[in-house]
Amino acid sequence: MISVEEARRRILAGLAVLPAEQVVLTDALGRVLAEDLVARTTQPPAPVSAMDGWAVRAADVASVPCRLRIAGYVPAGQHFEGTVGPGEAVRIFTGAPVPDGADAIVIQEDADQEGDAVVVREGVAAGRYVRRAGLDFSAGDVGVRAGTLMGPRAVGLAAAMNVPWLRVRRRPRVAILPTGDEIVMPGEPIGRNQIVSSNALALAAFVRQMGGLPVDLGIAADDRASLAALAGAARGCDLLVTTGGASVGEHDLVRSVLGEAGLQLDFWQIAMRPGKPLMFGQLAGTPMLGLPGNPVSALVCAVLFLRPAIARLCGMPDLAAAEEQAVLGADLGANDRREDYLRATLDRTPDGRLRATPFPTQDSSNLLRLVAADCLLVREPHAPPTAAGAPVRIVPLGGVFGAL
């Protein structure tokens, strides 16, 4: 068995970044930039007022109270054509260009209009409440780097930078193939020895949330012809993900059947729990990731291996499960030779430290506990008994499973 880190390294080495395509900005949400986002304009394009008030010369309000003649008015979207001279002020609103000659804004709460004059009660220094040209960005500035997943903030920035079209990575097409006579899809009749399959739908949702396009191949029965036919339908996809059929047993056909179809196996079995029977290889030019059949094992492996795999295809930085530090919330016994990923909840200790408390039951079929978990608590192989309060590594799940 190989380590989790070695398995991740070998999976990523077997994947290549997908080509780029052009999309309109309105379709950019959830896409990964293939090129830097570069501003096509300067924002603001000229000095503008940051507040509603009066555009003045700072020298005229150095001593207050003072009385200034109102030379004009300038709402947002318009421009004062003249120049603010000594002893003058211009009524201005947020976002409006600062008139020539003015170098500061007196906010409206600090001044009172009296006929054709304004009485200023609080002085301001030069530059006060003035947003200089290019304060946000200038034409040619890089706003978002290539490899970044476009979220609402980045979409808004692209719009402000006057970028209507973007070069993004093509969405990876991920074929999903659950296997086994014992599973049926939700809503189908359930036989005496069958269970409802959650893996296909959960992994499809996971792929979609990570920016990929899931391709449902259906359920392969435990016979060679069914598995070979459905696996062949993955041609043209960027990644094939199977679940089940990878353990040791006479009905575990994935390795043998796909081997006959040309699977070049890179590795099989890793030293982790849950998720030992994980495999990776290349099937007729399509990378193939074989996940365990137990639903918790499949999703934990999706977090640790499928997520960074999709990130690599999309040209994103390595999204290996980001670990954080916490303190242990309950005593744990010694660990065996496998790296353990325990489902756990998170809270805060009285002194504000993050605390991870593992569930007493960690069975790899217990999906309810995974949904209730806030993180995976990572234990190294051969870890000794550990008392509550000791530092531990965790993989937060909130950003991975979202609303779950």
Side-chain angles (χ1 to χ4, degrees), residues 1 3 38 41 86 115 137 170 178 205 254 272 284 291 365 371:
M1 294 188 292
S3 69
V38 179
T41 187
F137 52 82
R170 179 171 60 75
V254 171
M272 69 174 289
L291 304 182
S365 67
V371 174

Side-chain angles (χ1 to χ4, degrees), residues 1 7 32 79 106 133 210 224 227 276 292 312 351:
M1 294 188 292
V32 178
H79 184 80
V106 172
M210 294 297 112
R224 309 183 78 85
L227 180 56
K276 174 183 173 183
R312 170 60 59 86
D351 60 0

Side-chain angles (χ1 to χ4, degrees), residues 2-381:
I2 64 174
S3 69
V4 170
E5 186 56 39
E6 174 67 8
R8 184 185 295 119
R9 185 191 66 78
R10 287 161 70 165
I11 290 171
L12 296 183
L15 302 171
V17 178
L18 296 175
E21 62 185 12
Q22 185 167 275
V23 297
V24 68
L25 179 57
T26 51
D27 293 335
L29 182 67
R31 305 301 297 272
V32 178
L33 284 178
E35 298 176 351
D36 291 346
L37 175 66
V38 179
R40 301 173 65 230
T41 187
T42 296
Q43 180 66 25
V48 298
S49 176
M51 303 288 285
D52 293 345
W54 301 88
V56 301
R57 297 172 359 126
D60 289 340
V61 295
S63 179
V64 292
C66 64
R67 189 180 184 88
L68 305 176
R69 184 181 71 85
I70 299 175
Y73 298 84
V74 54
Q78 298 186 26
H79 184 80
F80 181 69
E81 297 298 336
T83 299
V84 177
E88 293 182 336
V90 169
R91 182 72 164 114
I92 197 167
F93 296 90
T94 303
V98 176
D100 292 340
D103 60 4
I105 307 296
V106 172
I107 61 174
Q108 60 187 14
E109 293 87 349
D110 292 339
D112 298 301
Q113 184 173 353
E114 296 181 357
D116 60 356
V118 59
V119 177
V120 177
R121 292 178 278 101
E122 293 288 340
V124 291
R128 183 63 169 162
Y129 300 123
V130 175
R131 294 174 180 152
R132 62 173 176 80
L135 176 65
D136 196 355
F137 52 82
S138 298
D141 285 352
V142 174
V144 184
R145 293 290 181 185
T148 300
L149 182 70
M150 293 289 291
R153 291 177 295 171
V155 169
L157 179 60
M161 287 183 161
N162 196 27
V163 180
W165 295 87
L166 298 171
R167 296 284 291 174
V168 297
R169 294 294 171 189
R170 179 171 60 75
R171 292 186 187 273
R173 296 185 294 269
V174 181
I176 299 173
L177 178 59
T179 67
D181 291 335
E182 76 279 10
I183 56 175
V184 296
M185 293 301 290
E188 293 180 348
I190 304 174
R192 180 177 180 181
N193 299 313
Q194 292 183 310
I195 60 173
V196 178
S197 171
S198 63
N199 283 343
L201 294 176
L203 290 172
F206 188 93
V207 167
R208 192 174 290 111
Q209 183 165 294
M210 294 297 112
L213 295 174
V215 178
D216 181 11
L217 298 184
I219 298 175
D222 281 331
D223 68 73
R224 309 183 78 85
S226 174
L227 180 56
L230 291 178
R235 290 188 180 91
C237 289
D238 304 299
L239 179 65
L240 167 63
V241 177
T242 65
T243 65
S247 300
V248 178
E250 60 179 319
H251 295 296
D252 296 315
L253 303 174
V254 171
R255 282 189 301 151
S256 60
V257 172
L258 297 189
E260 294 172 1
L263 174 66
Q264 296 178 328
L265 188 63
D266 187 314
F267 66 81
W268 172 58
Q269 294 192 346
I270 55 177
M272 69 174 289
R273 181 179 44 247
K276 174 183 173 183
L278 183 105
M279 69 171 66
F280 179 72
Q282 300 283 335
L283 178 62
T286 300
M288 176 265 185
L289 180 63
L291 304 182
N294 281 331
V296 172
S297 302
L299 282 171
V300 168
C301 287
V303 172
L304 299 178
F305 304 107
L306 180 55
R307 182 172 183 253
I310 293 175
R312 170 60 59 86
L313 292 170
C314 291
M316 298 177 69
D318 186 5
L319 287 188
E323 294 186 1
E324 296 183 11
Q325 293 291 317
V327 295
L328 186 58
D331 295 344
L332 288 175
N335 192 22
D336 62 16
R337 61 175 179 162
R338 291 191 285 171
E339 190 163 272
D340 211 350
Y341 289 83
L342 306 176
R343 278 71 71 202
T345 58
L346 290 175
D347 66 352
R348 294 282 179 179
T349 62
D351 60 0
R353 292 180 297 169
L354 200 60
R355 177 170 54 196
T357 304
F359 292 109
T361 301
Q362 293 287 329
D363 190 274
S364 59
S365 67
N366 197 334
L367 189 57
L368 186 64
R369 286 289 180 259
L370 179 62
V371 174
D374 301 309
C375 69
L376 301 174
L377 193 158
V378 186
R379 300 201 75 206
E380 296 180 357

